[in-house]
Amino acid sequence: MIGGVTLGERLGAGPYGTWFKAHTASRRDLRALLIAPDLLADAHFADELADERCLSSLTSFDHPAVVPTVSVARGGGDVAVVTVGPGRVIT
């Protein structure tokens, strides 16, 4: 669990980290990108993810071609970008 987000099945990995199915107490349709440790070691990258203005921009951005970001969860030394899972209707 990272900041109230439970990671489930590992879905895959890429240059930014590892994707997992995820859920919270109120939502079960989420995905979480567990950010790669080498990216978090970059102070500028980590600072941007912690910046409230950046978080506000990420979670309020709405476009039909972009998967919505729900939150950025933190726990211990881990950071996960939480998004809506598959099944979003794109119009």
Side-chain angles (χ1 to χ4, degrees), residues 9-78:
E9 176 187 349
R10 181 182 184 272
L11 299 172
Y16 297 106
T18 305
W19 282 100
F20 293 88
K21 287 185 178 181
H23 68 273
T24 64
S26 61
R27 290 194 72 163
R28 305 206 58 79
D29 63 336
L30 303 173
R31 299 293 181 260
L33 174 65
L34 186 61
I35 302 295
D38 59 322
L39 290 176
L40 293 176
D42 177 339
H44 179 71
F45 185 87
D47 288 347
E48 287 297 315
L49 278 179
D51 184 273
E52 287 300 321
R53 290 172 297 165
C54 179
L55 292 176
S56 176
S57 294
L58 280 173
T59 56
S60 65
F61 185 77
D62 186 29
H63 188 279
V66 176
V67 175
T69 299
V70 175
S71 67
V72 175
R74 292 177 175 73
D78 294 324

